[in-house]
Amino acid sequence: MEKFFIVKYSGPFAFIKPWTAVRDSETFSQQFLTPSIVEGIEKKLFPELLRESGIKKIARHKLNYCGIDIQQERTWAKGGFQYTKEKDVYKTNLGILKRGVLLNPNLYLAFSQEKDARVAFQQNICLCRNEDILLPVELFTISPEEFDEIQGFELKFTDNKNGFKVGYNRFNNAEEMFGELIVTGNPIREK
């Protein structure tokens, strides 16, 4: 019988950088982790995989949380500063983005190998920004069928025929990524 070794991570908040950044308050892409986010987490946990492409050790994942707090973030234009001779000042284009912060997220990472789960359980992870740290809180073993029953959002990685576009893979020449969003139970917890 196949088993999954699960590491549950939790924290007071987390930020998942959406591929739709500017419109995230409308698209709510926080509810899932893209293939490149999962691959980035895996590379953080297992730095020996930095030179390899693809997800090698994380078999599946689920995410649930207590809510999303939409926050504004001031951004600078990519072009940098411009000097205006008439006014003798440097100017730049500023923008405001609205991005969501997950409140009290739980992330479940499933591993096929116990040794990989034990390595992961000794480390913290970040969901895209270093200040938003999730800590390991539990290590347990369940069947794939029991993992299916954990309440949460899971993006099953697919191709363009079987899923919707979820972004561009920063680890693979900005290749388009696709997935099918699986929602189990009520992934937005009360506590």
Side-chain angles (χ1 to χ4, degrees):
M1 181 170 132
E2 186 183 6
K3 290 183 188 176
F4 278 153
F5 301 92
I6 309 299
V7 179
K8 177 184 175 184
Y9 290 90
S10 192
F13 57 18
F15 174 91
I16 300 175
K17 184 175 184 180
W19 76 284
T20 54
V22 176
R23 294 179 305 280
D24 189 61
S25 61
E26 298 162 20
T27 61
F28 292 106
S29 58
Q30 262 91 352
Q31 274 113 344
F32 53 83
L33 302 183
T34 66
S36 64
I37 292 173
V38 174
E39 186 173 348
I41 290 171
E42 185 176 88
K43 288 179 182 337
K44 188 273 180 199
L45 295 172
F46 305 97
E48 66 273 15
L49 298 176
L50 283 170
R51 296 190 190 278
E52 297 186 36
S53 65
I55 300 166
K56 309 290 185 202
K57 296 180 182 264
I58 297 174
R60 292 181 58 192
H61 68 279
K62 285 247 181 135
L63 178 67
N64 61 45
Y65 52 88
C66 291
I68 296 179
D69 182 45
I70 301 296
Q71 299 182 353
Q72 290 188 359
E73 180 178 320
R74 185 171 140 185
T75 63
W76 297 95
K78 186 176 181 180
F81 294 95
Q82 288 182 323
Y83 179 71
T84 305
K85 191 169 186 172
E86 301 144 9
K87 297 182 182 178
D88 202 30
V89 294
Y90 284 99
K91 294 174 94 180
T92 187
N93 295 328
L94 294 176
I96 302 292
L97 296 178
K98 291 184 178 179
R99 293 186 173 165
V101 175
L102 301 180
L103 303 176
N104 299 309
N106 289 333
L107 175 63
Y108 299 85
L109 296 181
F111 297 90
S112 298
Q113 302 291 317
E114 182 178 9
K115 64 180 180 165
D116 295 334
R118 294 203 175 278
V119 168
F121 188 68
Q122 299 300 314
Q123 302 176 64
N124 67 312
I125 60 171
C126 307
L127 295 181
C128 298
R129 287 202 324 197
N130 292 335
E131 64 269 25
D132 302 327
I133 294 175
L134 299 181
L135 299 174
V137 294
E138 192 175 357
L139 175 63
F140 57 97
T141 306
I142 58 176
S143 70
E145 294 77 25
E146 291 170 311
F147 188 82
D148 289 341
E149 295 172 12
I150 295 173
Q151 294 190 45
F153 294 103
E154 178 179 17
L155 187 74
K156 295 231 175 163
F157 309 143
T158 64
D159 56 26
N160 65 346
K161 292 178 180 66
N162 298 309
F164 63 96
K165 187 173 177 181
V166 297
Y168 301 94
N169 192 331
R170 63 181 177 211
F171 294 111
N172 192 10
N173 299 316
E175 179 181 278
E176 293 179 331
M177 300 181 293
F178 298 89
E180 175 188 356
L181 187 61
I182 307 297
V183 181
T184 307
N186 184 3
I188 304 173
R189 306 183 329 267
E190 290 192 26
K191 58 179 177 170

